[in-house]
């Protein structure tokens, strides 16, 4: 990977951290504790050989996790080896970014409210979108500047998102808008509120992670001027998807 991509992935790891990280030979094994694929997968730390793969699988099994590898640019050999071992591709993700200054906006004081820890109503909105306690625990583990942003419309909470900084990069995770408030520009306003908060932390750019097949999110973020800087995907052993 390029130095630029390395900085982005460092920010991803810091702002959405695993419960623990374990080194097993050439592998980084993330302990997710139910926090999702990103914090429950294996990545290559250095050169590996095919005989190293069972050790990664065994380490995941010891943690009660699925055989799941995260692959990034430049890992074609690992991709091919896992495919030959019966691993399927799942959830290709784009890393989209833009300058913070391009998204800041003059919003109403109560349009987007930063709060840490999250309010109970924010946890309820996340839960309605499938983001439960295990993912809230991921947010809690982030150690840099962070906040839970609450979006309001007509005097009621209708959206929430988690944003955290790592150096000059602010990353927005877990953006959720209640179903009845979607397609009304709320997500756009949440991104602007996130950029306003990021600017106050002296972040220079804002990033989001979007599954490539999520057409609505891809359209939203690209309409805001965000562009893909990198990508990654997972391979999961057949029978475990």
């Amino acid at each position: 990977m390029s130095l630029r991509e390395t900085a982005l992935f460092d920010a991803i790891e810091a702002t959405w951290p695993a419960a623990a990280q374990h080194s097993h030979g050439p592998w980084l094994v993330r302990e997710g504790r139910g926090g999702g694929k990103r914090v429950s997968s294996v990545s290559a730390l250095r050169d590996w050989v095919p005989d190293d793969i069972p050790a990664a699988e065994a380490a995941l099994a010891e943690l009660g996790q699925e055989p799941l590898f995260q692959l990034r640019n430049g890992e074609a050999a690992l991709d091919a080896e896992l495919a030959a071992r019966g691993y399927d591709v799942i959830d290709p993700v784009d890393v989209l970014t833009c300058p913070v200054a391009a998204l800041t906006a003059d919003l109403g004081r109560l349009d987007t409210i930063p709060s840490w820890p999250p309010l109970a109503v924010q946890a309820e909105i996340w839960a309605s979108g499938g983001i439960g306690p295990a993912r809230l625990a991921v947010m809690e583990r982030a150690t840099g500047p962070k906040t839970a942003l609450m979006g309001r419309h007509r005097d009621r909470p209708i959206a929430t998102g988690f944003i955290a900084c790592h150096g000059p990069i602010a990353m927005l995770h877990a953006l959720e808008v209640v179903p009845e408030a979607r397609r009304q520009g709320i997500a756009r306003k949440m991104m602007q509120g996130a950029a306003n908060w990021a600017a106050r932390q002296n972040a220079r750019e804002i990033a989001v992670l979007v599954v490539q097949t999520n057409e609505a999110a891809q359209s939203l973020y690209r309409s805001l001027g965000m562009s893909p800087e990198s990508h990654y995907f997972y391979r999961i052993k057949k029978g475990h998807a």
Side-chain angles (χ1 to χ4, degrees):
M1 292 193 302
S2 67
L3 290 176
R4 167 67 173 155
E5 288 178 302
T6 298
L8 287 170
F9 280 101
D10 286 348
I12 292 170
E13 298 280 351
T15 61
W16 196 259
Q21 295 184 346
H22 309 281
S23 294
H24 288 268
W27 310 113
L28 172 67
V29 179
R30 300 176 183 85
E31 184 175 344
R33 299 181 191 172
K37 295 183 185 68
R38 203 178 317 144
V39 293
S40 306
S41 58
V42 171
S43 294
L45 289 171
R46 56 182 185 272
D47 291 343
W48 54 275
V49 296
D51 286 346
D52 291 324
I53 290 176
E57 294 171 330
L60 288 169
E62 287 179 9
L63 295 172
Q65 296 178 189
E66 299 173 319
L68 181 72
F69 285 75
Q70 184 190 113
L71 293 105
R72 305 171 183 177
N73 282 336
E75 296 188 310
L78 179 57
D79 185 31
E81 181 63 30
L82 291 172
R85 290 171 178 259
Y87 279 75
D88 291 329
V89 171
I90 187 170
D91 290 349
V93 173
D94 286 331
V95 185
L96 305 180
T97 74
C98 75
V100 165
L103 276 182
T104 55
D106 185 13
L107 301 178
R109 184 172 61 87
L110 299 179
D111 285 346
T112 59
I113 304 171
S115 172
W116 192 262
L119 302 175
V121 68
Q122 292 175 276
E124 292 171 5
I125 294 171
W126 272 316
S128 71
I131 300 168
R135 284 174 169 81
L136 297 185
V138 176
M139 302 176 197
E140 183 66 36
R141 289 195 292 266
T143 58
K146 63 185 177 182
T147 197
L149 199 66
M150 183 173 69
R152 290 168 51 89
H153 183 61
R154 295 178 180 172
D155 293 327
R156 71 183 188 94
I158 43 76
T160 188
F162 173 71
I163 184 168
C165 292
H166 180 68
I169 300 173
M171 298 206 73
L172 180 76
H173 302 274
L175 177 59
E176 189 68 29
V177 180
V178 299
E180 61 269 25
R182 292 174 186 168
R183 301 186 183 281
Q184 297 181 38
I186 303 300
R188 176 180 294 269
K189 189 171 290 185
M190 288 291 288
M191 288 300 299
Q192 292 169 334
N196 289 351
W197 177 87
R200 293 194 294 271
Q201 314 310 310
N202 297 315
R204 295 196 298 271
E205 64 181 317
I206 190 166
V208 294
L209 307 173
V210 190
V211 176
Q212 290 178 356
T213 55
N214 188 338
E215 295 181 1
Q218 289 276 357
S219 177
L220 166 69
Y221 294 126
R222 291 174 192 249
S223 74
L224 291 170
M226 305 188 80
S227 58
E229 290 271 355
S230 190
H231 69 274
Y232 63 92
F233 62 95
Y234 302 97
R235 277 199 179 267
I236 189 167
K237 203 159 196 178
K238 289 179 181 176
H240 290 269

